[in-house]
Amino acid sequence: DVKVTQSSRYLVKRTGEKVFLECVQDMDHENMFWYRQDPGLGLRLIYFSYDVKMKEKGDIPEGYSVSREKKERFSLILESASTNQTSMYLCASSSEQGDPYEQYFGPGTRLTVT
Amino acid sequence: TQLLEQSPQFLSIQEGENLTVYCNSSSVFSSLQWYRQEPGEGPVLLVTVVTGGEVKKLKRLTFQFGDARKDSSLHITAAQPGDTGLYLCALSSYNFNKFYFGSGTKLNVKP
């Protein structure tokens, strides 16, 4: 079974702190994604990576950066956390070789910025 | 504005009832996916529909893709408490590197 793990299920940070969210997948997938999920807005893509060290901006990249130094690991960085970044953050991966429609999601990290 | 509109936003029904939820867009899309997300978990893919008019069945769940490929529906027969969750529709960009999600229908099935 594909497994996507995220470093924390719950995180509380203060405004202005630098925040790292880590995501690891164990199926050698090429593509990895970071979304945030807010009530009434669905999932919105923050950043996408199709290979090591490669990244593309999604729909809402402002205030975020990403890092992909190894194929299995994709990190989301909030350089200076703000209260409007309080949200559920979901990581996903997909394979170029398998079903292109299927994304595998991690359990999510609920981040609260106070 | 959302690329995909889902309705209803919330649905609370008794075990054994039937229900239908909808996903609509003003644009034509080549394929559409349905996911279910249980509380505290990430979404899990249920099905992908590709052909206009296509109907796919997954046990008590029936998925339909509109003839014009601008809408889709999910029908659940004899709902059970285990069906409780958030149902999301999504579509992908042509090269599968971006996915766009609707805001979801939150379903609660009471025993």
Side-chain angles (χ1 to χ4, degrees):
Chain A
D1 271 358
V2 175
K3 193 151 187 183
V4 179
T5 56
Q6 295 184 228
S7 49
S8 307
R9 295 297 293 263
Y10 300 94
L11 210 51
V12 180
K13 294 291 181 181
R14 292 194 181 276
T15 301
E17 277 193 81
K18 190 167 186 175
V19 182
F20 293 87
L21 302 182
E22 303 283 338
C23 175
V24 178
Q25 50 93 4
D26 66 358
M27 281 301 289
D28 203 36
H29 283 175
E30 295 80 9
N31 303 323
M32 295 188 76
F33 308 81
W34 273 108
Y35 294 91
R36 64 177 281 176
Q37 184 175 26
D38 300 289
L41 295 176
L43 278 73
R44 293 178 292 166
L45 183 65
I46 304 171
Y47 267 98
F48 154 73
S49 169
Y50 54 91
D51 202 350
V52 174
K53 296 191 188 296
M54 306 305 288
K55 62 186 179 187
E56 281 191 19
K57 292 180 180 179
D59 298 314
I60 51 164
E62 297 78 21
Y64 303 95
S65 62
V66 290
S67 171
R68 193 157 179 212
E69 297 296 319
K70 293 185 177 181
K71 191 175 185 180
E72 67 271 19
R73 189 179 297 267
F74 192 33
S75 303
L76 180 70
I77 303 147
L78 287 66
E79 295 289 342
S80 177
S82 63
T83 54
N84 63 12
Q85 292 179 308
T86 291
S87 186
M88 169 71 89
Y89 289 88
L90 290 161
C91 174
S93 71
S94 69
S95 172
E96 292 286 327
Q97 278 74 46
D99 181 350
Y101 301 108
E102 184 158 18
Q103 292 192 303
Y104 296 86
F105 283 86
T109 295
R110 187 166 291 283
L111 172 67
T112 302
V113 182
T114 61
Chain B
T1 53
Q2 294 266 113
L3 190 60
L4 292 170
E5 298 286 342
Q6 290 191 246
S7 61
Q9 270 192 294
F10 302 97
L11 196 53
S12 184
I13 60 171
Q14 291 293 139
E15 182 176 2
E17 290 184 25
N18 301 332
L19 67 114
T20 303
V21 299
Y22 301 92
C23 176
N24 295 286
S25 174
S26 56
S27 305
V28 174
F29 34 85
S30 59
S31 67
L32 186 123
Q33 304 150 68
W34 284 95
Y35 286 80
R36 179 171 66 213
Q37 184 178 17
E38 297 184 15
E41 301 296 330
V44 175
L45 181 67
L46 296 173
V47 79
T48 300
V49 285
V50 179
T51 307
E54 182 176 9
V55 176
K56 282 191 173 177
K57 292 196 176 209
L58 192 66
K59 297 183 182 177
R60 293 175 295 100
L61 278 60
T62 302
F63 303 85
Q64 184 153 11
F65 201 11
D67 291 337
R69 306 213 313 271
K70 295 170 75 171
D71 59 274
S72 181
S73 63
L74 158 59
H75 181 80
I76 302 179
T77 304
Q80 297 177 2
D83 296 325
T84 291
L86 179 68
Y87 288 82
L88 295 157
C89 63
L91 56 89
S92 67
S93 60
Y94 74 95
N95 55 357
F96 310 108
N97 63 5
K98 282 190 179 180
F99 291 80
Y100 301 93
F101 285 80
S103 55
T105 292
K106 196 164 187 178
L107 172 66
N108 180 36
V109 183
K110 295 176 279 188

